[in-house]
Amino acid sequence: MDKLVIIAGTNASGKSGLGIELALKYNAEIVSADSRQVFCGLDLGSGKVTAGEMKGVPHHLLDVAGPNEFFSLSYYQKLAYTAIDGILARGKVPFLVGGTGLYVNAVADGYNLNEAEPDPDIRQRVEAMSSGELVELLKEKNPLALLRLDLKNKRRLERAAEKALAGKTEEQPSVPRYETLVIGVTWPRDVLYERIRERLDRRLSEGMIDEVRNLRANGATDEFLYKLGLEYRYILMYLRGEFADYDAFYEKLFMEIRHLAKEQMTWFRKRKDMNWIDMSREPVEEASRLIDGFLGGSL
């Protein structure tokens, strides 16, 4: 099989910067594995790399959908496969870089995803349900689906519930499309939390609240922004006056980002093929040793 290098990690872990440095070294192109960076206009809040930060390395699957558009896991997988195959056809090395565990796994493991047109009546029904109600529905209709879902991600629960109510509950076996090297980046917890705070402060000072304000002014619905979670959800709530003051908003958002980072680590630690590297040491050198061994004679 063709070879794919994957670099995964939490928010503020430095995975994007590491991916770029390694891509420069290995003549690689990067495919993003981030569920929010696919949307145009979601820049500061999603931590999207800028053109300058890319250092000339081609990036794929950024800005491929508009706000309010439905973007499914199966559609992401299809676009990722197309991008990766294109990179390989150009004689370059494909890197999959991101922190959305479901996106990483869908490509790395070759999830066999059902393509189906959504039923408007079913969609309306599931979108009216709470996360708890969706979980209970899936426990009854398709308990196996719960094993690979983030139970706090209401959008994913809704999509799984749609399939269950439509009778599409049979799990097809995964069929890996590539041979993969999976690299996970990590920091000591206290260092990661400080990096999260510094990153949050920087993005707020750069205008992250104005980004959400402008998205709303240009037609992004509150429902869309709320479902994105984290920065977009809590800034939306702040703009709607749902916090006592700015400090209450800030501390809630910081706490939720830390919590997500913890959940991301839990998700990635389930992968038995993950090669962890310590970002506080020599990450480029350590990752290079792994990549050299993986690519071998294919360089």
Side-chain angles (χ1 to χ4, degrees):
M1 289 188 289
D2 291 315
K3 294 185 176 183
L4 171 67
V5 175
I6 299 172
I7 301 171
T10 69
N11 279 333
S13 63
K15 59 186 177 295
S16 297
L18 177 64
I20 290 166
E21 292 303 315
L22 291 167
L24 288 168
K25 181 175 181 179
Y26 289 97
N27 191 29
E29 297 184 18
I30 291 174
V31 178
S32 171
D34 187 292
S35 62
R36 300 187 301 174
Q37 292 182 7
V38 298
F39 293 105
C40 299
L42 275 63
D43 301 326
L44 289 171
S46 70
K48 196 179 295 175
V49 293
T50 65
E53 291 168 338
M54 291 178 188
K55 298 182 179 179
V57 175
H59 280 61
H60 304 269
L61 270 60
L62 301 177
D63 301 328
V64 294
N68 306 327
E69 284 186 32
F70 173 64
F71 194 90
S72 68
L73 178 63
S74 61
Y75 187 52
Y76 169 79
Q77 184 193 55
K78 182 185 295 183
L79 292 181
Y81 282 164
T82 299
I84 292 165
D85 291 345
I87 295 167
L88 290 164
R90 289 188 289 277
K92 295 191 173 184
V93 180
F95 281 13
L96 184 72
V97 181
T100 301
L102 200 57
Y103 279 18
V104 169
N105 288 1
V107 175
D109 299 333
Y111 284 177
N112 196 330
L113 299 169
N114 290 322
E115 280 285 2
E117 288 297 319
D119 181 309
D121 293 335
I122 292 177
R123 176 159 295 178
Q124 186 175 19
R125 175 182 168 188
V126 300
E127 288 184 348
M129 299 172 74
S130 68
S131 294
E133 289 170 333
L134 291 166
V135 169
E136 290 304 314
L137 184 150
L138 287 168
K139 281 181 181 177
E140 176 188 349
K141 301 284 188 182
N142 189 14
L144 289 177
L146 293 172
L147 297 177
R148 71 183 193 192
L149 284 173
D150 174 3
L151 301 188
K152 299 193 178 206
N153 188 323
K154 189 168 187 285
R155 178 173 289 190
R156 301 297 176 204
L157 288 171
E158 287 172 351
R159 300 294 80 85
E162 278 188 58
K163 288 183 179 180
L165 289 171
K168 298 178 175 64
T169 59
E170 185 178 350
E171 293 291 320
Q172 299 294 323
S174 296
V175 183
R177 186 166 177 147
Y178 311 104
E179 182 183 352
T180 57
L181 168 68
V182 189
I183 298 172
V185 302
T186 184
W187 294 86
R189 181 171 296 184
D190 58 335
V191 177
L192 177 63
Y193 287 171
E194 185 56 32
R195 286 176 60 86
I196 288 172
R197 186 179 288 279
E198 290 173 358
R199 186 188 196 215
L200 176 58
D201 290 347
R202 182 173 66 254
R203 288 154 75 189
L204 285 167
S205 70
E206 290 172 349
M208 189 161 61
I209 292 175
D210 284 337
E211 176 173 284
V212 177
R213 187 180 284 118
N214 292 336
L215 283 164
R216 294 179 84 198
N218 288 313
T221 65
D222 285 4
E223 179 185 24
F224 168 75
L225 293 166
Y226 189 85
K227 286 184 177 181
L228 292 170
L230 286 183
E231 294 87 353
Y232 294 100
R233 173 177 299 177
Y234 292 104
I235 292 174
L236 171 67
M237 294 169 67
Y238 174 69
L239 292 174
R240 294 197 306 202
E242 297 177 30
F243 287 99
D245 52 31
Y246 179 86
D247 289 342
F249 148 74
Y250 178 92
E251 288 305 321
K252 176 64 173 175
L253 177 54
F254 175 55
M255 181 184 72
E256 290 298 326
I257 297 173
R258 285 190 311 173
H259 183 65
L260 174 66
K262 184 177 178 181
E263 289 186 337
Q264 287 175 309
M265 285 298 293
T266 300
W267 179 280
F268 287 127
R269 282 189 175 124
K270 293 177 183 176
R271 292 199 66 94
K272 304 304 182 187
D273 59 348
M274 185 73 78
N275 296 273
W276 292 103
I277 62 173
D278 187 341
M279 292 290 284
S280 64
R281 295 181 181 174
E282 300 291 341
V284 173
E285 288 78 0
E286 191 173 350
S288 295
R289 284 193 293 272
L290 291 167
I291 295 170
D292 288 344
F294 175 64
L295 296 178
S298 63
L299 281 173

